[in-house]
Amino acid sequence: MSGYDDRDGKIWMDGQLVEWRDANIHILSHALHYASSVFEGERLYDGKIFLSRKHSERLLKSGEMMDMPIPYSVDEIEAAKQAVVDANGLTNAYVRVVAWRGAGEDMGVSSARNPVRMAVAAWAWGDYYGDAKMQGAKLDIAKWKRPSPETIPTAAKAAGLYMICTMSKHAAEAKGCSDALFMDYRGYVAEATGANVFFVKDGEVHTPLPDAILNGLTRQTVIGMLQARGITVHERHIMPEELEGFEQCWLTGSAAEVTPVGQIGEHKFEVGALTREISEAYEKLVRS
């Protein structure tokens, strides 16, 4: 399969569709040097992007939090996404919207005089964790910690927050794992490299309080699904020693969707009835 820079198709950049291979930026773009970038990852199901407007709204909010005002409205972002989907003839795909500080008058840490640019791309992408939906993903425990909100706006979907995710996922894959679970700066269970985490014990669900992690849109959707079924959901601080007492586990994210987890470090979980029920119900919801 060709690399992501060498494909046929169209990408939306700064207000117009361009050929995929021509969607390039200058080497002195501020984002390349200082991580001044925010993004969204979304899924297109049967021609419709799930929670599309919420993703667009969050993109603008992330830009605000990173002092990087994005010069497009929600409606304009929505139109750009639709243009890309239509131009590439897609009905089921992954959609990536990214905004960044481009090249301009500034090339130091400050970038106020540089333009904020935006692009939208979309491509066919299968299950994020391969066959893990059947047998459960295997996770390593990352050596890095998710940072304090006093360090960086942790509620933003910002590129810089993913640097330790890349390192942790590489380390996990080298051990034969699919992903890694982070603790936060206080030592509480936080999230995986690109997904929120849920646990089941005695018929109730426990998930980390999103006070230092991204409160994912899929996370919020799944909590609503559980509560609609009358299942108690505890959003709270979870200590790592509690992992051995949980019976089931799953991950949620726009890319990950709802993926069962079979093991985290030395702790094993069953791919139980509730995990399968929520995974199947989510599949139906996004296509409804």
Side-chain angles (χ1 to χ4, degrees), residues 58-252:
R58 188 172 66 180
L59 181 79
L60 295 180
K61 185 63 177 177
S62 292
E64 290 174 11
M65 285 188 281
M66 300 303 292
D67 193 26
M68 199 180 77
I70 297 169
Y72 295 97
S73 67
V74 169
D75 286 341
E76 288 171 325
I77 297 170
E78 290 295 293
K81 288 188 283 189
Q82 190 62 51
V84 167
V85 167
D86 292 343
N88 290 287
L90 297 167
T91 55
N92 291 280
Y94 179 80
V95 181
R96 171 59 58 89
V97 186
V98 60
W100 70 97
R101 285 280 187 184
E105 296 179 60
D106 292 323
M107 198 47 222
V109 171
S110 176
S111 63
R113 293 182 295 176
N114 291 14
V116 176
R117 303 181 58 189
M118 192 179 84
V120 183
W123 59 91
W125 205 11
D127 291 337
Y128 188 68
Y129 291 106
D131 62 0
K133 285 193 175 182
M134 299 298 295
Q135 60 188 1
K138 182 180 179 182
L139 273 60
D140 186 26
I141 296 179
K143 73 174 185 178
W144 302 101
K145 308 291 186 186
R146 298 309 288 161
S148 163
E150 294 179 335
T151 303
I152 190 170
T154 53
K157 196 168 176 66
L161 283 163
Y162 284 80
M163 291 186 292
I164 59 172
C165 297
T166 297
M167 292 187 290
S168 298
K169 186 149 184 168
H170 287 175
E173 290 173 341
K175 297 177 183 179
C177 298
S178 300
D179 205 345
L181 179 72
F182 285 107
M183 306 303 150
D184 71 14
Y185 67 103
R186 298 161 297 190
Y188 298 132
V189 173
E191 60 185 344
T193 63
N196 293 118
V197 65
F198 288 76
F199 302 98
V200 180
K201 183 177 182 180
D202 297 331
E204 298 184 344
V205 174
H206 305 256
T207 189
L209 193 68
D211 57 354
I213 57 175
L214 190 71
N215 184 11
L217 294 175
T218 308
R219 175 188 185 276
Q220 295 173 47
T221 299
V222 167
I223 289 174
M225 292 167 62
L226 290 163
Q227 291 174 335
R229 285 165 167 74
I231 296 169
T232 300
V233 180
H234 303 277
E235 295 184 74
R236 64 179 181 85
H237 294 144
I238 299 172
M239 296 299 295
E241 53 265 31
E242 294 183 68
L243 293 177
E244 65 178 330
F246 292 126
E247 301 149 5
Q248 301 177 48
C249 177
W250 67 75
L251 302 176
T252 65

